[in-house]
Amino acid sequence: MSQKTERDILAIIGRTNAGKSSLLNLLSGQENFAIVDPTPGTTTDTVVTLIEIHGIGPCKILDTAGVDEYSELGDKKRKKTYQAIDEADLSLIMINVEKVRQANDLEIEKELIHYLRYKGKQVLLLLNDFGKIPLNPALINEADNFQELLNQVNGELGIPSIILHANDFSYQSQLVDFIKNNYINRAKPVDLLPSLNDKGIVLLIVPMDEETPELRLLRPQEMAVERLLRNYIVPVLFRLNLAKARNSDPLLVNEEYERYTNLVNHLKKSPEGLQLIITDSQAFDIIPKWTPDDVSFTSFSIMMANYMSHGNLEFMVEGVQVVDSIVPGDKILIAESCNHDRKCDDIGTVQIPRIFEKKIAGKLNFDFNFGSPFPEDLKQYKLIIHCGSCMIDQQKYLNRIETARQTNIPFTNYGLFLAYMQNKEVIKKAVKPFIQ
Ligand SMILES: Nc1nc2c(ncn2[C@@H]2O[C@H](COP(=O)(O)OP(=O)(O)OP(=O)(O)O)[C@@H](O)[C@H]2O)c(=O)[nH]1
Ligand code: SF4
Ligand SMILES: [Mg+2]
């Protein structure tokens, strides 16, 4: 039996004359690949093209007919476009910004998004500005009706978008990066714990505090346990008593140290062997120094950051290094994807600010964004520190990362920040299971 080549299928959809065929040419890097013409309705049927997109792999691109032709023939064309959407892994909605601005509506795009979401399909927005609006999204006038319309359509959904000129080949690499960074290839899902052997024990450190819900584990802990069990790896859960481990009484510290190290040594010597320790990031001040050098460790938060960002961990590791250049008075955004009860030593509002201000020996300006839409004006921040983001979909999280990347604002996560604040060896070791 011949082996089918796995190709990612991308559909370019939108209104007539939005620049869909021009986009295909831009993706393929060839000017006359598809017919491009100012006559609306130039593409009359879905055109299939096979190309290799660097960083994504072999792709099948479906250049489709515009969905805004209202006639008997238009209905037939629209039907074909919707079939292309059904087939595609990812739809790129091409929007002619000028046209939308004149018509003052994005109803057609709304309808497409509605259909895509109903079908559980991925979508990205490409804003083709026809060279008439500033390219930097931050420079678009807030009173601009297009921006307003886009917010109405996209505000809640958080669909990643990019502004480009579809007929300008200098945008090719930006376009490819944008797709690469935001497309979650479901055919090649990111492994939650990619470097594990199919054998051995993984020790999960679950400190539990006042915020820990009763009768269940947190989602990242549950996800790790499920991943391990599915692969016949033995999860061992250990409740570290942080109050004891950090106590001023050395006897209590020693008691906890012995309890932990006895278990670690026992697991190490067992026939299965100890492959990895995954700790709650809050215990990064304890676990690295109590763990033998030959045992790998990471944290649930770093595991989630890698998984939710679809392997974009390196961007966040770069982000955390900005900590060294932060000075008193700088503005820092601390963001969590859900809101929850906050107890006295809350990680986002208390621990991270305290550790950060101690390091720089001065006061910082913190903004907190918990469970609400991501702030639009990111330029005011020197650094964004985000939680593991287990409660929102990957696309929304990727959009946050992409927005930070496009605005050049360093972005990192709680686990990376806490590991980095210990020392550079700790972060190096903690990211190793994900970045080889
Ligand atoms: N100035 C300018 N013109 C553009 C841009 N993108 C596309 N065009 C022009 O817009 C017209 C329509 O572009 P196409 O790529 O054919 O648009 P389409 O969405 O494929 O249109 P249909 O096939 O009719 O649905 C062509 O004349 C393109 O040269 C752009 O970024 N700037
Ligand atoms: S979304 Fe963030 S704050 Fe909420 S439970 Fe998950 S990691 Fe914690
Ligand atoms: Mg076309």
Side-chain angles (χ1 to χ4, degrees), residues 199-228:
K199 185 176 171 301
I201 297 166
V202 172
L203 177 60
L204 310 179
I205 310 294
V206 181
M208 294 191 166
D209 54 25
E210 293 165 284
E211 285 181 32
T212 308
E214 277 184 36
L215 298 177
R216 68 179 170 90
L217 295 174
L218 299 179
R219 187 156 178 254
Q221 295 157 358
E222 281 173 355
M223 286 167 73
V225 168
E226 193 276 345
R227 159 68 174 85
L228 299 171

Side-chain angles (χ1 to χ4, degrees), residues 336-338 340 387-391:
E336 293 186 359
S337 304
C338 76
H340 51 86
C387 74
S389 216
C390 64
M391 301 299 266

Side-chain angles (χ1 to χ4, degrees), residues 186-414:
R186 302 219 191 273
K188 301 171 208 139
V190 168
D191 186 350
L192 190 66
L193 293 163
S195 63
L196 292 184
N197 305 320
D198 280 351
K199 185 176 171 301
I201 297 166
V202 172
L203 177 60
L204 310 179
I205 310 294
V206 181
M208 294 191 166
D209 54 25
E210 293 165 284
E211 285 181 32
T212 308
E214 277 184 36
L215 298 177
R216 68 179 170 90
L217 295 174
L218 299 179
R219 187 156 178 254
Q221 295 157 358
E222 281 173 355
M223 286 167 73
V225 168
E226 193 276 345
R227 159 68 174 85
L228 299 171
L229 288 176
R230 190 171 290 279
N231 291 273
Y232 299 99
I233 300 168
V234 182
V236 173
L237 280 76
F238 177 81
R239 181 176 178 191
L240 181 76
N241 186 332
L242 276 176
K244 255 174 141 179
R246 292 178 182 146
N247 209 280
S248 54
D249 180 348
L251 285 177
L252 288 180
V253 175
N254 198 48
E255 241 175 56
E256 194 58 9
Y257 171 79
E258 300 246 309
R259 211 168 66 85
Y260 174 74
T261 47
N262 284 345
L263 176 66
V264 169
N265 290 331
H266 175 71
L267 297 177
K268 261 183 82 180
K269 280 191 235 129
S270 70
E272 292 270 317
L274 176 61
Q275 314 198 32
L276 179 68
I277 294 174
I278 310 175
T279 178
D280 187 297
S281 300
Q282 297 187 55
F284 261 142
D285 57 330
I286 308 289
I287 297 301
K289 65 181 186 214
W290 284 9
T291 301
D293 286 346
D294 58 349
V295 178
S296 308
F297 62 77
T298 188
S299 77
F300 291 108
S301 176
I302 294 176
M303 173 193 82
M304 286 309 289
N306 185 62
Y307 179 74
M308 292 299 293
S309 68
H310 218 248
N312 260 306
L313 195 63
E314 267 169 273
F315 175 64
M316 289 183 242
V317 175
E318 273 169 35
V320 77
Q321 292 166 39
V322 168
V323 161
D324 294 332
S325 58
I326 300 288
V327 293
D330 279 348
K331 247 184 143 174
I332 310 291
L333 177 66
I334 296 191
E336 293 186 359
S337 304
C338 76
N339 209 350
H340 51 86
D341 276 359
R342 300 202 178 265
K343 299 284 162 43
C344 59
D345 206 27
D346 176 61
I347 184 164
T349 50
V350 182
Q351 290 189 43
I352 291 182
R354 183 181 62 220
I355 295 169
F356 213 157
E357 289 184 335
K358 190 171 166 212
K359 175 180 183 329
I360 64 152
K363 285 271 162 214
L364 287 165
N365 253 316
F366 289 103
D367 272 358
F368 301 99
N369 176 271
F370 296 147
S372 15
F374 211 40
E376 276 178 25
D377 177 19
L378 293 183
K379 281 209 176 301
Q380 52 183 316
Y381 301 112
K382 284 279 167 19
L383 177 65
I384 300 166
I385 312 177
H386 209 292
C387 74
S389 216
C390 64
M391 301 299 266
I392 55 172
D393 25 295
Q394 273 177 317
Q395 241 189 330
K396 227 171 181 173
Y397 187 55
L398 277 173
N399 185 34
R400 292 182 169 198
I401 297 178
E402 187 56 28
T403 312
R405 195 196 299 270
Q406 281 183 12
T407 354
N408 273 329
I409 306 301
F411 184 107
T412 194
N413 111 316
Y414 284 10

Side-chain angles (χ1 to χ4, degrees), residues 16-22 36-39 41-43 128 130 165-167:
T16 50
N17 263 356
K20 301 183 298 299
S21 302
S22 305
V36 161
D37 194 87
T39 315
T42 300
T43 307
N128 192 11
F130 279 69
H165 295 168
N167 67 348

